[in-house]
Each structure stands twice: as C-alpha cells, then as structure tokens.
Amino acid sequence: MTSTEQDRWTRVKGRLRSSVGEDVYSSWFARMDLESVQQESVHLSVPTRFLKSWIQAHYAERVLSCWQAELPGVERVDLTVRAMRCATPAKETAAPVEARRTERNDARPAPELRAVATAPVSANHEALGGSPLDPRLTFASFVIGRSNTLAHAAARQVAEGRRGDPVMFNPLYIHAGVGLGKTHLLQAVTWAGNSGIERKVLYLTAEKFMYGFVAALKTQTALAFKEALRGIDVLVIDDLQFLQGKSTQAEFCHTLNALIDAGRQVVIAADRPPSDLESLDDRVRSRLAGGLVVEMGSLGEELRLGILKSRVAAARAHHASFDVPDQVLDYLAKSITHNGRDLEGAVNRLLAHSKLNATAVTLEMAEREVRDLIRPQEPKRIKIEDIQRVVARQYNVSRSDLLSSRRTANVVRPRQVAMYLAKTLTLRSLPEIGRRFGGRDHTTVLHAVRKIEALVVKDVALSEEVESLKRQLQE
C-alpha cells in the first residue's frame, strides 16, 4: 500500500467514523483493513465471516459512499475474510497482494459490496442492523380507540423523548393478541426516533436478536455484538415470546439490565404479559414486570370502523375512484371482529375486485368477498389469576390462602377446585400451574385434578358448584 493510498484510507475511516458514530465504528469497522485500490474498485478485508456478512448486509451504502467522496470513480467495494497473519520473513512481506490472497480462508471472490436503495428515514436504522421496517406503520396511520389509548400515549412519550431526558417507564412492555397493533406501535416508535439524528433507535424481532447473538458467538465477535447493542439509546424488541435458549436469554437479560441501568429506553412487545412467559427466566420476567406493562385489548366496533375508514382513505390516495359506501363499512365493522389484519385484508379484497372488474363496491359484493374472514367469536381467554379470584370469592377465602401452605379443610378443597379449573380451562402445564399456586410440585396439581374429577361424578353439589364457577369465568 502506497503512502497516498494509506492517506486516503485514513480519510475514509474518518468519514465513516463521523457517519456512524464512535460506538458503531469501534464495534464493526475498527478491524477492517485496506488491501488494495484499483481504478473502479476497492478491496477491504475483515478478520471474521460474521463481520463480513454483517457489514455487507447493513453498511454497504455507508462504506461505498465514504469511498466515493474520496474517489468518485469507485463503483464497488470488495470485502473478504483474511487469514490469521503471523510473522513472516522480510522478503515475503514484500509479496504483492494477489500472492497473499491464495493463503486466505475465503479463496473465492467475495460478493460485491454494492449500495442498496433504502428509504431515507430508515437509513440510520438499517445501518444499525435492525429488522426491516414497514413505511406504513407510523403514528400518523395508527387509529386510536378505547382499547389502545394508554399504549399509544406511552409509545408517543417514548418516541418524543430526547437524549439525556429522565426515562419515565422502563421497560415499556406492551402485550396483545395477534393483529391488535403492537407491532405497529413499536415500528412507529422506531420511525419517529430515527427521523432525527439525536438518538439511535433499533428495532429487532426476538428472532433477529437470537440470530445476531448466536452468529456472534460462532465467529467469536460476541463482544462487538454486545457493545453495539448497549450503545443504543432506544432498544425496541418485538415478539419476545419467541426468545429461546438459555444463553440467548441470559444475554438478553444482561443487555436489558445494562441499558436500563444506563438510563437508556427499552420497549418490548409480546402476545402475553411477563408473568405468562413461561420459557423466560424468573429474573427476566421480574425485570419486565418492573416497568410499565400495558395491555392492548380487542378492537371495539367503533375502533374497527375507524381502522376501515383509515385504510380506505389510504387506498384512495393511489386509486382516486375507489369508494366504499358507509353501509358496507358498517357491515364490515360489525362482522369482522378478529383483528386489524383481517380488516385490512377486507379493504384490499374490495379494492382488487373493484379495480380489476371495473365495478362499484356494493353490500352484496362485500358479503360475498369477505365471508371467509367472518369468524365465530373466540371463547374468552381465562387466566389463572381470574380462576383464583372467582374461587376465593365462591368459598369465602382469600387468594393468599389458596397460595399458602395451609392444610385446613376450608382451604384445601377450594385450592383443589382452583387447580382443577386451571387445568381444564387453560392451556397451562402442570408445572406452571403448580408454580402459580405458591410454587407447588406438579404432582400436587395432578393429585388435585384427579381428586376433583372423581368427586364431581358422585357429588352432585360439588358438580353444580364447579359448573357455576365455569359459567362465571366464561361469561
């Protein structure tokens, strides 16, 4: 490498450091070396395959633009994995770059590191290695209703925060069923945070977090992975219920603690509250429950109608002639009750039918096109806490009595009934039910279930009590 090339490389590294920030630069670029500069290409190398794939996937445009600012004629940047370098005789160090290539682990030419077109607002997010963002999922397109008001307000408060502001809710934990808007809110926080340059906001699915951590372990770059995550101002994790593996969960716990202790914001979404994430360690569940836990409930008819009107308005921006009569919107809002994605699917079907067949949207057409989206009402989701509360009220004992070690007759029978109902009305396992009843062994739960099953067959009064409790819980 000539002195001129070395000077250029120094200036490019300076541009790169200014572009991505010191933390990201030290994590991903500190060990990148310049191998050679050709007329239209630059050849760089890194020590591991993980760094190579990560940089190619997330920093292509940054690296190429920094080189083009120095050498406008550069059209591509090639990246390879270099072999471990050891001491060599002086005459060998003078060998040309092409001769040394044969000794590398990766002898095949690396794919070209080309600039990838990205949305302007998401450029910073993509550079940080986050999961893909949907440009439609912003606060402007989020429809507010009774079931999501608190979650929306908390998410806006996080999005509008500034670096150095005291963190009010940490972590912010949002849970809801499928298609009720939790991912929309999390991506809206990310879009809003990355619209400026003050804070680094990273959106990751639990799957992407697991993949990144496992890949870093395999390539012995776990330290760089950890440093990159802990340099984030706002970490957003979606679908936490899919986080698996003891080592991955331990690293998530360490990252969560490090960010919270440093005053950084963490936002998490899952399909159930922290206490129901049975696969997670108790320490993680406890830390999650220590923040603000917000449930987004089912969509009411008024909110469903608002979502439909919003989606029709968005479609009309690209198809001016598309129109859905009010009676059709009312019918859809009353009939499609499952989730917001079904509502959006219904609008897309009406749009496709209207445009492709050049016909107006009518009630008869809507009834025909969306009939498979009209699902029977799902049974109420019953929680173990609800069972404990209702049983305690029925038998005039306290919930703490059911969870205690007391063995008196007035407590043992209600406890057994509650365990029986937990097994028959929920999908919880015997060990989980035992844990929720004061940390009892699963064999204790099994004994209680079998005991009540035998008694309800011959004890009419107990059978009627159990059926009454089931009705109360299912109403």
Side-chain angles (χ1 to χ4, degrees), residues 164-324:
D165 288 352
V167 179
M168 186 176 299
F169 312 118
N170 212 10
L172 170 60
Y173 186 100
I174 299 173
H175 65 97
V178 175
L180 298 183
K182 58 185 184 296
T183 294
H184 191 147
L185 272 185
L186 263 62
Q187 292 207 14
V189 169
T190 309
W191 280 111
N194 283 334
S195 61
I197 60 173
E198 186 177 278
R199 293 197 300 174
K200 300 173 186 175
V201 184
L202 181 65
Y203 170 83
L204 289 173
T205 60
E207 181 185 15
K208 187 68 178 287
F209 177 90
M210 288 190 294
Y211 169 80
F213 179 62
V214 172
L217 287 177
K218 289 182 178 178
T219 56
Q220 299 181 350
T221 54
L223 182 60
F225 179 82
K226 295 176 184 181
E227 289 175 351
L229 278 182
R230 296 174 192 186
I232 300 300
D233 294 303
V234 182
L235 178 63
V236 182
I237 301 287
D238 201 359
D239 290 327
L240 187 66
Q241 70 272 9
F242 296 129
L243 190 67
Q244 302 292 330
K246 289 185 177 180
S247 60
T248 307
Q249 290 183 15
E251 179 53 35
F252 173 76
C253 184
H254 295 324
T255 299
L256 182 68
N257 289 334
L259 289 172
I260 292 176
D261 293 343
R264 311 291 179 90
Q265 178 73 59
V266 179
V267 183
I268 294 170
D271 66 353
R272 67 201 75 165
S275 59
D276 288 354
L277 293 173
E278 302 168 19
S279 62
L280 290 186
D281 186 88
D282 287 341
R283 294 171 300 172
V284 180
R285 288 200 299 264
S286 175
R287 194 76 199 239
L288 295 175
L292 175 62
V293 178
V294 182
E295 180 178 12
M296 296 175 66
S298 58
L299 307 176
E301 184 177 330
E302 183 179 352
L303 179 54
R304 296 197 297 268
L305 182 59
I307 292 173
L308 287 167
K309 289 180 177 179
S310 172
R311 299 301 178 263
V312 170
R316 194 178 292 125
H318 301 282
H319 307 278
S321 61
F322 179 57
D323 183 60
V324 181

Side-chain angles (χ1 to χ4, degrees), residues 102-144:
T102 60
E103 300 176 357
R104 294 198 179 116
N105 291 336
D106 190 2
R108 293 172 297 175
E112 293 178 358
L113 187 64
R114 297 188 181 276
V116 180
T118 55
V121 179
S122 66
N124 182 41
H125 175 78
E126 296 294 334
L128 292 171
S131 298
L133 296 174
D134 187 334
R136 299 171 300 170
L137 303 185
T138 64
F139 283 118
S141 62
F142 188 83
V143 182
I144 306 171

Side-chain angles (χ1 to χ4, degrees), residues 390 394 463-473:
V390 171
Q394 174 77 19
S463 177
E464 291 177 352
E465 286 178 1
V466 171
E467 290 303 316
S468 174
L469 289 168
K470 286 182 179 180
R471 287 194 297 272
Q472 293 178 53
L473 288 163

Side-chain angles (χ1 to χ4, degrees), residues 31-36 42-53 55-56 77-83 85 97 100-101 104-113:
R31 291 179 289 172
M32 179 186 285
D33 289 344
L34 174 65
E35 298 292 344
S36 64
V42 174
H43 183 79
L44 303 173
S45 68
V46 290
T48 68
R49 292 179 183 273
F50 173 68
L51 281 177
K52 172 188 169 183
S53 62
I55 292 170
Q56 285 177 326
V77 176
D78 297 325
L79 189 63
T80 58
V81 180
R82 60 177 175 265
R85 292 175 178 170
V97 172
R100 294 203 305 269
R101 282 185 183 176
R104 294 198 179 116
N105 291 336
D106 190 2
R108 293 172 297 175
E112 293 178 358
L113 187 64

